């Protein structure tokens, strides 16, 4: 073989480009833009602009500080995670052997061009799509494309495209055994690997967290604008009110007070804390919001190989023919191919590990005369031995069906044993022998890829969390079905089917059945993507993948996860990278995600209940008196002090009851909670208003300010869980400390001369302070009393409205 000349190779590289996938590194501005994207951040930027416009430089700077700090922490986390993932690429093969100018030489992976003759052997990674020209004992591992855990054989073909399935080598597959000369047919962006990468890039999925926060932001924006429009118009129509510029400043300050400006910081602290907990379990979080999104999933889709199972064959059983004096294990071990090589055949490893000490001693009694390589057409290999008595023994081993063609009959009991093993999804190897009088059956050996010891515990934990598990694999149906049964995922045969059979069903039947099928077998990359998209119509889907063919499905899933051995495309696409392939880590991560979601929801509930309660009271109060019930700077200070301790809500404890079900933004329940408890807040605000509005503007403004801050701080400890306050456990120490600090500052500001003058407060009397304190405590008691029946009502609503969860 001459191969290409150096000149031809250079011309083709200029024509076709380097043998590499296009890079996906994103510039810094893209990361910043993505962090600022969304309705909520737009509202915050608008609020900052308004605050600066009304002359409140300190408050505007504080809002910008929240935005800047949250954005910076998010970008830093993504940078660290992407750097960690980049280190995982070190194992990739960068050099390969080709024949050029009539001699074999080693070149860079990227320098391979169409028409190059590749010279590959055991352990090599195929650098580009190619067609087999010559092969010796060739077996390749196509797990990353097909999901099959057993190597497949390849035969010589023609570069014109014929015999593609049997002779094509795809970029990224591994040579498990043998040697091969192959002609490169496609490189770079023209390979099958690149095709899957393009499909992956075309699939877009927005974070569940981002969508939930945007919906809440839209709700805040609509309600606020409608109310403010009414308040401004009503004030203008009533005589004796403030001028339009004063009303506009008041309205804008009131609008800013409704916006929970610390939410980005609370989210970042919560998500970063979750990412840190993941890191302690050897998990790299690439997209920070996926920490919380993981808590919302109620269906986890995964391949079986290496995730549920060990991805290692072991001997499950042995059947010995009645008339044979030979051990099937011993003869099969003698027929092993390249057991001491870099990539031994999985069957051979399993057989070698299953041998007893006596059987190992028996091996030495035989002399190997000649090894017969694997014959793809006969699906078997062989060995010629010399027995201790000097006679020759010819052994063949392979598929029982292919061996049976050359046998006169089946021994008694063999067919029944074979059927039993196949029902269990075991792979079976047949062994025959011939001492010169015709072949006879020696026996059968069954193999199994066993469940990991941790799989059952992880699946039980998933059930407790109300998360379903669905296997999506490229492996054979009977093998995948057996794993599903052993894992407890499958109870009936109709819960497993091949993907092609599923997509042959009418569309209506597909949608009706997709959520009830626990195992999809023989799945192509395109079918995986379609399955994930269908499942997303009924579930919040997490997908754990590994192979090249998983890229599009990973990107389509709500949360995507891969193991460190995953293909380059899969790692680039995934939100989370597991450094240990353990399903239990994912289940623990789901619990962590739910805790993160619960703490975020605490802040949203507490802030919106108090903010909207105070917002409506101040807005309506402005219609009843001829001065502003609270000055713009007082409103902004109120918002600042009440939000200050809530930053620690990310560190708060979460009761187990709140992590027992998938977390999601149930906006209907959230809005009902905000309206009912916000109404309680409004009623108490009017009580404070009615007590002090006749005295003087500064007395009303001072006392209402202090009462609003104290009630909002107390509300945190009531609404931090939906359980009664005395059953919700102690809050995080930092939350307690910051709340005490905020209360102390609130009480001191009206007494310190320069702060009292700056914020236009009056010095409170002891009687007013006692009254405010007593009413604030009464507010906490009333909130607890109303919360109990309201939570029961919401629980009944959620039991009917919750997304379907697989038992």
């Amino acid at each position: 073989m001459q191969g290409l000349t150096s000149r031809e190779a250079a011309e083709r590289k200029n024509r076709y480009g380097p043998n590499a996938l296009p890079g996906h590194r994103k510039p810094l501005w893209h990361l910043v833009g993505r962090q600022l994207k969304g309705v909520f951040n737009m509202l915050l930027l608008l609020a900052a602009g308004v605050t600066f416009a009304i002359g409140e430089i300190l408050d505007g700077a504080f809002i910008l500080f929240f935005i800047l700090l949250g954005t910076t922490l998010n970008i830093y986390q993504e940078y660290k995670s992407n750097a960690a993932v980049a280190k995982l690429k070190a194992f990739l093969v960068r050099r390969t052997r080709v024949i050029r100018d009539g001699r074999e030489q080693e070149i860079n992976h990227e320098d391979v061009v169409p028409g190059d003759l590749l010279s590959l052997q055991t352990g090599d990674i195929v650098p580009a799509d190619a067609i087999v020209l010559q092969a010796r004992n060739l077996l390749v591992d196509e797990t990353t494309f097909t999901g099959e855990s057993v190597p497949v054989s390849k035969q010589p073909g023609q570069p014109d495209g014929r015999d593609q399935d049997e002779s094509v080598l795809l970029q990224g597959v591994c040579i498990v055994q043998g040697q091969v000369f192959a002609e490169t047919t496609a490189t770079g962006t023209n390979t099958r690997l690149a095709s899957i990468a393009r499909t992956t890039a075309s699939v877009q999925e927005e974070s569940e967290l981002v969508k939930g926060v945007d919906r809440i932001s839209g709700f805040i924006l609509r309600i606020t604008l409608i109310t403010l429009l009414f308040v401004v118009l009503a004030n203008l129509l009533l005589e004796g009110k403030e001028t339009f510029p004063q009303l506009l400043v008041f309205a804008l300050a009131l609008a800013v007070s409704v916006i929970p400006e610390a939410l980005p910081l609370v989210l970042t602290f919560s998500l970063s804390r979750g990412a840190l907990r993941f890191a302690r379990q050897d998990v790299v979080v690439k997209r920070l919001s996926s920490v919380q999104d993981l808590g919302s999933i109620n269906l986890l889709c995964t391949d079986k190989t290496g995730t549920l199972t060990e991805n290692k064959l072991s001997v499950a059983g042995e059947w010995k023919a009645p008339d044979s004096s030979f051990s099937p294990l011993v003869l099969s071990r003698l027929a092993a191919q390249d057991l001491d090589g870099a990539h031994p055949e999985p069957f051979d490893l399993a057989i070698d590990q299953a041998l007893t000490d006596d059987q190992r001693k028996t091996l030495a009694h035989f002399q190997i005369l000649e090894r017969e390589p694997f014959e793809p057409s006969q699906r078997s290999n062989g060995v010629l031995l010399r027995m201790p008595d000097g006679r020759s023994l010819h052994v063949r081993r392979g598929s029982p069906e292919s061996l049976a063609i050359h046998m006169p009959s089946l021994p008694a009991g063999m067919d029944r044993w074979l059927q039993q093993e196949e029902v269990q999804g075991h792979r079976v190897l047949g062994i025959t022998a011939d001492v010169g009088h015709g072949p006879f059956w020696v026996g059968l050996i069954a193999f199994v890829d066993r469940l990991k010891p941790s799989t059952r515990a992880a699946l039980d934990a998933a059930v407790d969390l109300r998360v379903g598990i669905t296997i999506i694999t490229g492996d054979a149906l009977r093998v995948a079905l057996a794993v599903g049964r052993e894992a407890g995922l499958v109870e009936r045969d109709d819960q497993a089917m091949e993907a092609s059979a599923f997509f042959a069903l009418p569309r209506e039947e597909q949608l009706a059945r997709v959520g009830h099928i626990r195992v999809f077998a023989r799945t192509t990359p395109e079918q995986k993507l379609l399955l994930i998209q269908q499942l997303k119509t009924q579930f919040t889907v997490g997908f754990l993948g590994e192979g090249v063919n998983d890229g599009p499905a990973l990107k389509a899933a709500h949360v995507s996860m891969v193991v460190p051995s995953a293909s380059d495309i899969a790692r680039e696409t995934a939100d989370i990278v597991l450094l240990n392939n353990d399903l239990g880590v994912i289940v623990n991560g789901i619990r962590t995600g739910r805790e993160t979601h619960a703490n975020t929801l605490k802040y949203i509930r507490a802030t919106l209940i108090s903010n909207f309660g105070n917002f409506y009271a101040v807005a309506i109060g402005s219609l009843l008196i001829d001065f502003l019930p609270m000055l713009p700077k007082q409103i902004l200070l109120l918002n600042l002090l009440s939000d200050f301790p809530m930053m620690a809500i990310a560190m708060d404890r979460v009761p187990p009851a709140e992590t027992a079900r998938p977390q999601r933004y149930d906006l209907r329940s959230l809005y009902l909670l905000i309206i009912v408890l916000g109404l309680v807040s409004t009623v108490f605000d009017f009580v404070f208003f009615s007590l002090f509005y006749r005295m003087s503007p500064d007395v009303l403004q001072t006392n209402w300010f202090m009462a609003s801050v104290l009630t909002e701080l107390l509300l945190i400890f009531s609404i931090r869980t939906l359980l009664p306050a005395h059953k919700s456990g102690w809050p995080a120490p930092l939350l307690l400390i910051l709340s005490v600090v905020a209360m102390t500052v609130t009480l001191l500001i009206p007494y310190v001369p320069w702060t009292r003058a700056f914020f236009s407060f009056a010095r409170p009397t002891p009687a007013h302070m006692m009254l405010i304190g007593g009413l604030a405590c009464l507010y906490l008691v009333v909130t607890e009393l109303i919360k109990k029946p309201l939570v029961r009502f919401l629980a009944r609503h959620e039991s009917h409205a919750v997304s379907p969860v697989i038992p």
Side-chain angles (χ1 to χ4, degrees), residues 480-596:
L481 177 59
V483 172
R485 287 188 181 280
E486 186 180 0
L489 299 176
V490 175
E491 297 177 353
R492 306 182 311 274
D493 286 348
D494 63 353
Q495 290 180 300
M497 66 189 307
E498 290 189 354
S500 57
F502 173 79
F503 286 109
L505 299 173
R507 176 68 176 177
E508 295 76 13
E509 189 174 350
Q510 289 180 30
L511 294 174
R513 294 191 59 185
V514 68
H516 301 282
I517 298 174
R518 299 279 65 78
V519 175
F520 291 97
R522 293 295 188 196
T523 313
T524 66
E526 294 78 11
Q527 290 169 339
K528 283 188 179 184
L529 173 59
L530 292 174
L531 284 172
I532 294 298
Q533 289 174 336
Q534 282 203 25
L535 288 167
K536 282 170 57 182
T537 63
Q538 302 179 31
F539 305 97
T540 303
V541 179
F543 182 63
L544 176 61
E546 177 179 15
V548 172
N549 58 355
D550 292 333
L554 284 166
K555 197 163 186 180
H558 293 111
V559 182
S560 55
M561 298 154 280
V562 297
V563 294
S565 59
S567 66
D568 197 25
I569 289 177
R571 284 199 313 275
E572 290 290 341
T573 304
D575 302 318
I576 296 172
V577 179
L578 310 179
L579 301 184
N580 293 314
N581 195 354
D582 186 356
L583 188 63
V585 173
I586 300 175
V587 175
N588 290 335
I590 291 173
R591 187 178 287 107
T592 298
R594 293 181 182 179
E595 291 175 358
T596 302

Side-chain angles (χ1 to χ4, degrees), residues 167-403:
S167 60
V168 70
L169 296 176
L170 295 176
Q171 181 184 28
V173 304
C174 177
I175 307 297
V176 173
Q177 175 183 300
Q179 296 178 327
V180 59
F181 288 103
E183 180 176 338
T184 303
T185 56
T187 60
T189 57
N190 298 316
T191 63
R192 172 64 173 161
L193 186 66
S195 174
I196 295 175
R198 283 192 294 272
T199 305
T200 300
S202 67
V203 179
Q204 299 292 333
E205 176 56 35
E206 189 176 18
S207 164
E208 286 295 291
L209 173 62
V210 172
K211 289 190 286 188
V213 172
D214 280 353
R215 288 196 295 268
I216 293 172
S217 302
F219 167 76
I220 296 172
L221 184 61
R222 289 191 299 272
I223 297 299
T224 303
L225 291 179
I226 293 172
T227 304
L228 289 181
L229 180 62
F230 169 76
V231 169
V232 171
L233 291 177
N235 273 280
L236 289 175
L237 293 175
L238 295 174
E239 295 182 1
K241 296 297 174 183
E242 304 290 336
T243 64
F244 178 74
Q246 292 174 311
L247 283 175
L248 183 59
V249 170
F250 169 73
L252 291 174
L254 202 57
V256 171
S257 73
V258 178
I259 299 173
E261 67 271 3
L263 181 56
L265 201 57
V266 170
L267 278 173
T268 301
F269 284 163
S270 296
L271 297 176
S272 297
R273 185 167 179 259
L276 183 61
R277 292 174 62 181
F278 273 120
R280 292 177 185 144
Q281 302 179 60
D282 290 332
V283 177
V284 177
V285 177
K286 291 180 58 186
R287 177 173 62 85
L288 202 57
S289 61
S290 63
V291 173
Q292 182 168 325
D293 286 343
L294 194 58
S296 67
I297 70 171
N298 54 10
L299 179 64
L300 175 62
C301 298
T302 176
D303 198 345
K304 64 172 188 62
T305 305
T307 304
L308 303 179
T309 66
E310 296 178 335
N311 195 21
K312 182 181 70 174
L313 292 180
S314 59
V315 174
E318 178 186 19
W319 177 85
K320 183 178 178 181
D323 299 331
S324 172
S325 59
F326 298 103
S327 163
L329 280 174
V330 170
L331 293 191
S332 184
R333 171 62 181 81
L334 289 166
Q337 302 280 328
D338 197 27
L339 187 59
D340 297 325
H343 295 274
E345 230 282 344
F347 290 108
D348 292 337
L349 281 175
I351 292 169
D352 185 68
Q353 293 171 0
L355 290 176
T356 64
D357 291 340
D358 290 339
Q359 288 172 329
R360 291 188 184 279
K361 293 176 182 178
T362 304
L363 296 176
H365 298 162
F366 294 87
Q367 178 185 358
I368 297 176
L369 300 178
E370 182 183 355
R371 293 191 184 277
E372 298 173 350
F374 182 81
E375 290 287 346
S377 59
Q378 298 183 19
R379 299 169 63 192
S380 64
N381 75 297
V383 64
L384 184 62
L385 306 170
R386 188 182 303 281
M387 294 190 293
D389 59 6
R391 291 183 299 164
S392 296
L393 176 66
H394 183 212
V395 177
R396 295 292 298 179
R397 64 170 194 173
S399 158
E401 295 84 0
S402 62
L403 292 177

Side-chain angles (χ1 to χ4, degrees), residues 457-470:
L459 292 177
D460 290 342
V463 170
D464 293 340
L465 293 174
R466 301 185 68 182
V467 175
I469 307 291
T470 294

